[in-house]
Every structure is written in C-alpha cells, then in structure tokens.
Amino acid sequence: VRCMVLPILPPDYRPSEKEPYMSSLQLAYFRAKLMQWKSELLNESEDTLAALQEQSLSTPEAVERASMETDHALELRARDRARKLINKIDKAIVRIDADEYGYCEESGEPIGLGRLEARPIATMSVEAQERHERAEKLHRDERRMT
C-alpha cells in the first residue's frame, strides 16, 4: 500500500468531468470534504455529551423525568449513528491515502463524481448498490417465508 501526497486545493475547486477521474486534486478535494464532515460530527458529539452531562436525572416530576430519559435515548442513538458514520469516513480516508478511492469495491468501475459528491463514503457504484439492496431484500423476504 503506497501513500499519496495530495496537492493543496484552490479555495474554489470543484471536481469536474473534464479532468482525469480521481486525479490528485479530486482526491485532495474528497479528503478535505471527508475531514470537514468528520470534524462537524465530532463537534456535534461533544456538544451532545456536554448537554447530557448538564441535565440532571434528579428531576422530581415523573413526566419530566420520562421525557428527559426519552431525549437521552434519542441522543445516544444519534451518537451511535454518528460513530458508525465516522468509522465509514475514516475508511474512506484510508482508501484515498491508498489511492483506492472512487472505485466500486464490487466491480472496480468508477463510482462517479456525482455520487461521491452526494455520498463521499460510497463504496459501490449505483448499479452495484442497487444489486446489493435487491439481494438483501430477497434474502429478508426468504427468511420471512421460512
């Protein structure tokens, strides 16, 4: 596994179909985008933790206490989703550093700039993802029938 040295991005840079797919500039762009997303998730997580620590469960009102416990459960679920997302972001950054980013892990075909703009953690092309989801649904349906 070789590690790439990525260029510094011009401030107004956006990936274009006119340049080579997964050029060093495109990789630098997606790496910066992923790092920014991870930073935002970590900041939200810290804010959530601080808010949970500030609230006390010593509230005497049963209804208010139940409401706070429900809020805590929702916050913890959101933090768990954020943790899983950060893990996917980290894996995408590893793929960038290994020069494997932007290609479908199933077919090896380009995932495409539009899909990566919308979902920079994507590991499959739209076609491969749809096949995967159809197979998952079929498997779920088969399990229900048994």
Side-chain angles (χ1 to χ4, degrees), residues 6-70:
L6 297 175
I8 295 173
L9 281 176
D12 58 348
Y13 174 80
R14 286 284 175 271
S16 161
E17 301 286 343
K18 295 174 187 155
E19 61 192 317
Y21 185 70
M22 289 300 113
S23 66
S24 59
L25 268 179
Q26 287 181 359
L27 290 171
Y29 171 82
F30 284 111
R31 190 176 206 291
K33 184 176 181 110
L34 287 159
M35 294 298 289
Q36 176 65 36
W37 191 13
K38 180 179 176 178
S39 176
E40 289 167 6
L41 287 167
L42 288 171
N43 286 338
E44 287 171 16
S45 182
E46 287 172 15
D47 292 347
T48 298
L49 189 56
L52 287 175
Q53 287 172 344
E54 281 177 22
Q55 294 174 350
S56 167
L57 287 179
S58 62
T59 305
E61 299 283 332
V63 173
E64 195 171 326
R65 183 181 172 111
S67 174
M68 283 175 61
E69 287 173 358
T70 300

Coordinates of all heavy atoms in Angstrom, one line a residue, residues 6-70:
L6 N -1.0 14.6 -1.4 CA -2.0 15.3 -2.2 C -1.7 16.8 -2.2 O -1.1 17.3 -1.3 CB -3.4 15.1 -1.5 CG -3.9 13.6 -1.5 CD1 -5.1 13.5 -0.7 CD2 -4.0 13.1 -2.9
P7 N -2.1 17.4 -3.4 CA -1.8 18.9 -3.5 C -2.7 19.7 -2.6 O -3.7 19.2 -2.1 CB -2.1 19.1 -5.0 CG -3.2 18.1 -5.3 CD -2.8 16.9 -4.5
I8 N -2.3 21.0 -2.5 CA -3.2 21.9 -1.7 C -4.3 22.4 -2.7 O -4.0 22.7 -3.8 CB -2.3 23.1 -1.2 CG1 -1.3 22.6 -0.2 CG2 -3.2 24.2 -0.7 CD1 -0.3 23.7 0.2
L9 N -5.5 22.4 -2.2 CA -6.7 22.7 -3.0 C -6.8 24.2 -3.2 O -6.7 25.0 -2.2 CB -7.9 22.2 -2.3 CG -8.3 20.8 -2.5 CD1 -9.5 20.5 -1.6 CD2 -8.5 20.4 -3.9
P10 N -7.1 24.6 -4.4 CA -7.5 26.0 -4.6 C -8.9 26.2 -3.9 O -9.7 25.3 -3.9 CB -7.7 26.1 -6.1 CG -7.0 25.0 -6.7 CD -7.0 23.9 -5.7
P11 N -9.1 27.4 -3.3 CA -10.3 27.6 -2.5 C -11.6 27.3 -3.2 O -12.6 26.9 -2.6 CB -10.2 29.0 -2.0 CG -9.0 29.6 -2.5 CD -8.3 28.5 -3.4
D12 N -11.7 27.6 -4.5 CA -13.0 27.4 -5.2 C -13.0 26.2 -6.1 O -13.9 26.0 -6.9 CB -13.2 28.7 -6.1 CG -12.1 28.9 -7.1 OD1 -11.0 28.2 -7.0 OD2 -12.2 29.7 -8.0
Y13 N -12.1 25.2 -5.8 CA -12.0 24.0 -6.6 C -13.3 23.1 -6.5 O -13.8 22.9 -5.4 CB -10.8 23.2 -6.3 CG -10.8 21.9 -7.0 CD1 -10.3 21.8 -8.3 CD2 -11.2 20.7 -6.4 CE1 -10.3 20.6 -9.0 CE2 -11.2 19.5 -7.0 CZ -10.7 19.4 -8.3 OH -10.7 18.2 -9.0
R14 N -13.8 22.6 -7.6 CA -14.8 21.6 -7.6 C -14.4 20.5 -8.6 O -14.0 20.9 -9.7 CB -16.2 22.2 -8.1 CG -16.8 23.1 -7.0 CD -17.5 22.2 -5.9 NE -18.0 22.9 -4.9 CZ -17.4 23.3 -3.8 NH1 -16.1 23.0 -3.6 NH2 -18.0 24.0 -2.8
P15 N -14.6 19.2 -8.3 CA -14.2 18.2 -9.3 C -15.0 18.4 -10.6 O -16.2 18.8 -10.6 CB -14.6 16.9 -8.6 CG -14.6 17.2 -7.1 CD -15.0 18.7 -7.1
S16 N -14.4 18.0 -11.7 CA -15.0 18.2 -13.0 C -14.8 16.9 -13.8 O -13.7 16.3 -13.7 CB -14.4 19.4 -13.7 OG -14.6 19.4 -15.1
E17 N -15.8 16.7 -14.7 CA -15.7 15.5 -15.6 C -14.6 15.8 -16.6 O -14.1 14.8 -17.3 CB -17.0 15.3 -16.3 CG -18.2 15.0 -15.4 CD -18.2 13.6 -14.8 OE1 -17.4 12.8 -15.3 OE2 -18.9 13.4 -13.8
K18 N -14.1 17.0 -16.8 CA -13.1 17.4 -17.8 C -11.7 17.0 -17.4 O -10.8 16.9 -18.2 CB -13.1 18.9 -18.0 CG -14.4 19.4 -18.6 CD -14.5 20.9 -18.7 CE -15.8 21.3 -19.2 NZ -16.1 22.7 -18.7
E19 N -11.5 16.7 -16.1 CA -10.2 16.3 -15.7 C -10.1 14.7 -15.5 O -11.2 14.1 -15.4 CB -9.8 17.0 -14.4 CG -10.7 16.7 -13.2 CD -10.5 17.7 -12.0 OE1 -9.4 18.0 -11.7 OE2 -11.6 18.1 -11.5
P20 N -8.9 14.2 -15.4 CA -8.8 12.7 -15.2 C -9.6 12.3 -13.9 O -9.4 13.0 -12.8 CB -7.3 12.4 -15.1 CG -6.7 13.6 -15.7 CD -7.6 14.8 -15.5
Y21 N -10.3 11.2 -13.9 CA -11.1 10.7 -12.8 C -10.1 10.3 -11.7 O -9.1 9.7 -11.9 CB -11.9 9.5 -13.2 CG -12.8 9.0 -12.1 CD1 -13.9 9.7 -11.7 CD2 -12.6 7.8 -11.5 CE1 -14.8 9.3 -10.7 CE2 -13.4 7.3 -10.5 CZ -14.5 8.1 -10.1 OH -15.3 7.6 -9.1
M22 N -10.4 10.8 -10.5 CA -9.7 10.6 -9.3 C -8.2 11.1 -9.4 O -7.3 10.5 -8.9 CB -9.7 9.1 -8.8 CG -11.1 8.7 -8.3 SD -11.6 9.7 -6.8 CE -13.0 10.6 -7.5
S23 N -8.1 12.3 -10.0 CA -6.8 13.0 -10.1 C -6.4 13.3 -8.7 O -7.2 13.3 -7.7 CB -7.0 14.2 -10.9 OG -7.9 15.1 -10.3
S24 N -5.2 13.8 -8.5 CA -4.7 14.1 -7.2 C -5.5 15.3 -6.6 O -5.8 15.3 -5.4 CB -3.2 14.4 -7.2 OG -3.0 15.5 -8.0
L25 N -6.0 16.2 -7.5 CA -6.8 17.3 -7.0 C -8.2 16.8 -6.5 O -8.7 17.2 -5.5 CB -7.1 18.4 -8.1 CG -6.1 19.5 -8.1 CD1 -6.4 20.5 -9.3 CD2 -6.0 20.3 -6.8
Q26 N -8.8 15.9 -7.3 CA -10.1 15.3 -6.8 C -9.9 14.5 -5.5 O -10.8 14.7 -4.6 CB -10.6 14.4 -7.9 CG -11.2 15.1 -9.1 CD -11.7 14.2 -10.2 OE1 -11.8 13.0 -10.0 NE2 -12.2 14.8 -11.3
L27 N -8.9 13.8 -5.4 CA -8.6 13.0 -4.1 C -8.4 14.0 -3.0 O -9.0 13.8 -1.9 CB -7.4 12.1 -4.3 CG -7.6 10.9 -5.2 CD1 -6.3 10.2 -5.4 CD2 -8.7 9.9 -4.6
A28 N -7.7 15.1 -3.2 CA -7.5 16.1 -2.1 C -8.8 16.7 -1.8 O -9.1 17.0 -0.6 CB -6.5 17.1 -2.6
Y29 N -9.7 17.0 -2.8 CA -11.0 17.6 -2.5 C -11.8 16.7 -1.7 O -12.4 17.1 -0.7 CB -11.7 17.9 -3.9 CG -13.1 18.3 -3.8 CD1 -13.5 19.6 -3.5 CD2 -14.1 17.3 -3.9 CE1 -14.8 19.9 -3.4 CE2 -15.5 17.7 -3.8 CZ -15.8 19.0 -3.5 OH -17.1 19.3 -3.4
F30 N -11.9 15.4 -2.0 CA -12.8 14.5 -1.3 C -12.2 14.2 0.1 O -12.9 14.1 1.1 CB -13.0 13.2 -2.0 CG -14.0 13.4 -3.1 CD1 -13.6 13.3 -4.5 CD2 -15.3 13.6 -2.9 CE1 -14.6 13.5 -5.5 CE2 -16.3 13.8 -3.9 CZ -15.9 13.7 -5.2
R31 N -10.9 14.2 0.3 CA -10.3 14.0 1.6 C -10.6 15.2 2.5 O -11.0 15.0 3.6 CB -8.7 13.9 1.4 CG -8.0 13.5 2.7 CD -6.5 13.3 2.5 NE -6.0 12.4 3.4 CZ -5.8 12.6 4.7 NH1 -6.2 13.7 5.2 NH2 -5.3 11.7 5.5
A32 N -10.5 16.4 1.9 CA -10.9 17.6 2.7 C -12.4 17.6 3.1 O -12.7 18.0 4.2 CB -10.5 18.9 1.9
K33 N -13.2 17.2 2.1 CA -14.7 17.1 2.4 C -14.9 16.1 3.5 O -15.7 16.4 4.4 CB -15.4 16.7 1.1 CG -16.9 16.7 1.1 CD -17.4 16.4 -0.2 CE -18.9 16.4 -0.2 NZ -19.5 17.5 -0.9
L34 N -14.3 15.0 3.5 CA -14.5 14.0 4.5 C -14.0 14.4 5.9 O -14.6 14.2 6.9 CB -13.8 12.6 4.1 CG -14.5 11.9 2.9 CD1 -13.5 10.9 2.3 CD2 -15.7 11.1 3.4
M35 N -12.8 15.1 5.9 CA -12.3 15.6 7.1 C -13.2 16.6 7.7 O -13.4 16.6 9.0 CB -10.8 16.1 6.9 CG -9.8 15.1 6.5 SD -9.5 13.8 7.7 CE -8.7 14.7 9.0
Q36 N -13.7 17.5 6.9 CA -14.7 18.5 7.4 C -15.9 17.9 8.0 O -16.4 18.3 9.1 CB -15.0 19.5 6.3 CG -16.1 20.5 6.6 CD -15.6 21.5 7.7 OE1 -14.4 21.9 7.6 NE2 -16.4 21.9 8.5
W37 N -16.5 16.9 7.3 CA -17.7 16.2 7.8 C -17.4 15.5 9.1 O -18.1 15.6 10.1 CB -18.1 15.2 6.7 CG -19.4 14.5 6.9 CD1 -20.4 14.9 7.8 CD2 -19.9 13.4 6.2 NE1 -21.5 14.1 7.6 CE2 -21.2 13.1 6.7 CE3 -19.4 12.6 5.2 CZ2 -22.0 12.1 6.2 CZ3 -20.2 11.6 4.7 CH2 -21.5 11.3 5.2
K38 N -16.2 14.8 9.2 CA -15.8 14.2 10.5 C -15.7 15.2 11.6 O -16.2 14.9 12.7 CB -14.5 13.4 10.3 CG -14.0 12.7 11.5 CD -12.7 11.9 11.2 CE -12.2 11.3 12.5 NZ -11.0 10.5 12.3
S39 N -15.1 16.3 11.3 CA -14.9 17.3 12.3 C -16.3 17.8 12.8 O -16.5 18.0 14.0 CB -14.1 18.5 11.7 OG -14.0 19.5 12.6
E40 N -17.2 18.1 11.9 CA -18.6 18.5 12.3 C -19.3 17.5 13.2 O -19.9 17.8 14.2 CB -19.4 18.8 11.0 CG -19.0 20.0 10.3 CD -19.6 20.1 8.9 OE1 -20.4 19.3 8.5 OE2 -19.2 21.1 8.2
L41 N -19.1 16.2 12.8 CA -19.8 15.1 13.6 C -19.2 15.0 15.0 O -19.9 14.9 16.0 CB -19.6 13.8 12.9 CG -20.5 13.6 11.6 CD1 -20.0 12.3 10.8 CD2 -21.9 13.4 12.0
L42 N -17.8 15.2 15.1 CA -17.2 15.1 16.4 C -17.6 16.3 17.2 O -17.8 16.2 18.5 CB -15.7 15.1 16.2 CG -15.1 13.7 15.7 CD1 -13.6 13.9 15.3 CD2 -15.3 12.6 16.7
N43 N -17.7 17.5 16.6 CA -18.1 18.7 17.4 C -19.6 18.5 17.9 O -19.9 18.8 19.0 CB -18.0 19.9 16.6 CG -16.6 20.4 16.4 OD1 -15.7 20.0 17.1 ND2 -16.4 21.2 15.3
E44 N -20.5 18.0 17.1 CA -21.9 17.7 17.5 C -21.9 16.7 18.6 O -22.7 16.9 19.6 CB -22.7 17.2 16.3 CG -23.0 18.2 15.2 CD -23.6 17.6 14.0 OE1 -24.1 16.4 14.0 OE2 -23.6 18.3 13.0
S45 N -21.0 15.7 18.5 CA -21.0 14.7 19.5 C -20.5 15.3 20.9 O -21.1 14.9 21.9 CB -20.0 13.6 19.1 OG -20.0 12.5 20.1
E46 N -19.5 16.1 20.8 CA -19.1 16.8 22.1 C -20.1 17.7 22.7 O -20.3 17.7 23.9 CB -17.8 17.6 21.8 CG -16.6 16.8 21.5 CD -15.4 17.6 21.1 OE1 -15.4 18.8 21.2 OE2 -14.4 17.0 20.6
D47 N -20.9 18.4 21.8 CA -22.0 19.2 22.3 C -23.1 18.4 22.9 O -23.6 18.8 24.0 CB -22.6 20.1 21.1 CG -21.6 21.1 20.6 OD1 -20.6 21.4 21.2 OD2 -21.9 21.6 19.5
T48 N -23.4 17.3 22.3 CA -24.4 16.4 22.9 C -24.0 15.8 24.2 O -24.8 15.8 25.2 CB -24.7 15.2 21.9 OG1 -25.1 15.7 20.7 CG2 -25.7 14.2 22.4
L49 N -22.8 15.4 24.3 CA -22.2 14.9 25.6 C -22.3 15.9 26.7 O -22.7 15.7 27.8 CB -20.8 14.4 25.4 CG -20.2 13.6 26.6 CD1 -21.1 12.4 26.9 CD2 -18.8 13.1 26.2
A50 N -21.9 17.1 26.3 CA -21.9 18.2 27.3 C -23.3 18.5 27.8 O -23.6 18.7 29.0 CB -21.3 19.5 26.7
A51 N -24.3 18.5 26.8 CA -25.7 18.8 27.2 C -26.2 17.7 28.1 O -27.0 17.9 29.0 CB -26.5 18.9 25.9
L52 N -25.9 16.4 27.8 CA -26.4 15.3 28.6 C -25.8 15.4 30.0 O -26.5 15.1 31.0 CB -26.0 14.0 28.0 CG -26.8 13.5 26.7 CD1 -26.2 12.3 26.1 CD2 -28.2 13.4 27.0
Q53 N -24.5 15.8 30.1 CA -23.9 15.9 31.4 C -24.5 17.0 32.3 O -24.6 17.0 33.5 CB -22.4 16.1 31.3 CG -21.7 14.8 30.8 CD -20.3 15.0 30.5 OE1 -19.8 16.1 30.3 NE2 -19.5 13.9 30.4
E54 N -25.0 18.1 31.6 CA -25.6 19.2 32.3 C -26.9 18.9 32.8 O -27.3 19.4 33.9 CB -25.7 20.4 31.3 CG -24.4 21.2 31.1 CD -24.6 22.3 30.1 OE1 -25.7 22.8 29.9 OE2 -23.6 22.8 29.5
Q55 N -27.7 18.1 32.1 CA -29.0 17.7 32.6 C -28.9 16.7 33.7 O -28.1 15.8 33.7 CB -29.8 17.1 31.4 CG -30.2 18.1 30.3 CD -30.8 17.4 29.2 OE1 -30.9 16.2 29.1 NE2 -31.3 18.2 28.2
S56 N -29.7 16.9 34.7 CA -29.7 16.0 35.8 C -30.9 15.1 35.8 O -32.0 15.6 35.5 CB -29.7 16.8 37.1 OG -30.0 16.0 38.2
L57 N -30.8 13.9 36.2 CA -31.9 13.0 36.2 C -32.6 13.0 37.6 O -33.4 12.2 37.9 CB -31.5 11.5 35.9 CG -31.1 11.3 34.4 CD1 -30.7 9.8 34.2 CD2 -32.3 11.6 33.5
S58 N -32.3 14.0 38.4 CA -32.9 14.1 39.7 C -34.2 14.9 39.7 O -34.6 15.3 40.7 CB -31.9 14.8 40.7 OG -31.5 16.1 40.2
T59 N -34.7 15.1 38.5 CA -36.0 15.9 38.4 C -37.1 15.1 39.1 O -37.3 14.0 38.8 CB -36.3 16.1 36.9 OG1 -35.2 16.7 36.3 CG2 -37.5 17.0 36.8
P60 N -37.8 15.7 40.0 CA -38.8 15.0 40.8 C -40.1 14.7 39.9 O -40.7 13.7 40.2 CB -39.2 15.9 41.9 CG -38.7 17.3 41.5 CD -37.6 17.1 40.5
E61 N -40.3 15.5 39.0 CA -41.5 15.3 38.2 C -41.4 14.0 37.3 O -40.5 14.0 36.4 CB -41.8 16.5 37.2 CG -42.0 17.8 38.0 CD -43.4 17.9 38.6 OE1 -44.3 17.3 38.0 OE2 -43.6 18.6 39.6
A62 N -42.2 13.1 37.5 CA -42.1 11.8 36.8 C -42.3 12.0 35.2 O -41.5 11.4 34.5 CB -43.2 10.8 37.2
V63 N -43.2 12.9 34.8 CA -43.4 13.1 33.4 C -42.2 13.8 32.8 O -41.7 13.4 31.7 CB -44.6 14.0 33.1 CG1 -44.8 14.4 31.7 CG2 -45.9 13.3 33.6
E64 N -41.6 14.7 33.5 CA -40.4 15.4 33.0 C -39.2 14.5 33.0 O -38.4 14.5 32.0 CB -40.1 16.6 33.9 CG -39.1 17.6 33.3 CD -39.0 18.9 34.1 OE1 -40.0 19.3 34.7 OE2 -37.9 19.4 34.1
R65 N -39.1 13.6 34.0 CA -38.0 12.7 34.0 C -38.1 11.7 32.8 O -37.2 11.4 32.2 CB -38.0 11.9 35.3 CG -36.9 11.0 35.5 CD -36.9 10.2 36.8 NE -35.9 9.2 36.8 CZ -34.9 9.2 37.6 NH1 -34.6 10.3 38.4 NH2 -34.0 8.3 37.5
A66 N -39.4 11.2 32.6 CA -39.6 10.3 31.5 C -39.2 10.9 30.1 O -38.6 10.3 29.3 CB -41.0 9.8 31.5
S67 N -39.6 12.2 30.0 CA -39.3 13.0 28.8 C -37.8 13.1 28.6 O -37.2 12.9 27.5 CB -40.0 14.3 28.9 OG -39.6 15.1 27.8
M68 N -37.1 13.4 29.7 CA -35.6 13.5 29.7 C -35.0 12.2 29.3 O -34.0 12.2 28.5 CB -35.1 14.0 31.0 CG -35.3 15.5 31.2 SD -34.8 16.1 32.8 CE -33.0 15.7 32.8
E69 N -35.5 11.1 29.9 CA -34.9 9.8 29.5 C -35.1 9.4 28.1 O -34.2 8.9 27.4 CB -35.5 8.7 30.5 CG -35.0 8.8 31.9 CD -35.6 7.9 32.9 OE1 -36.6 7.2 32.5 OE2 -35.2 7.9 34.0
T70 N -36.3 9.8 27.5 CA -36.5 9.6 26.1 C -35.6 10.4 25.3 O -35.0 9.9 24.3 CB -38.0 10.0 25.7 OG1 -38.9 9.1 26.5 CG2 -38.3 9.8 24.3

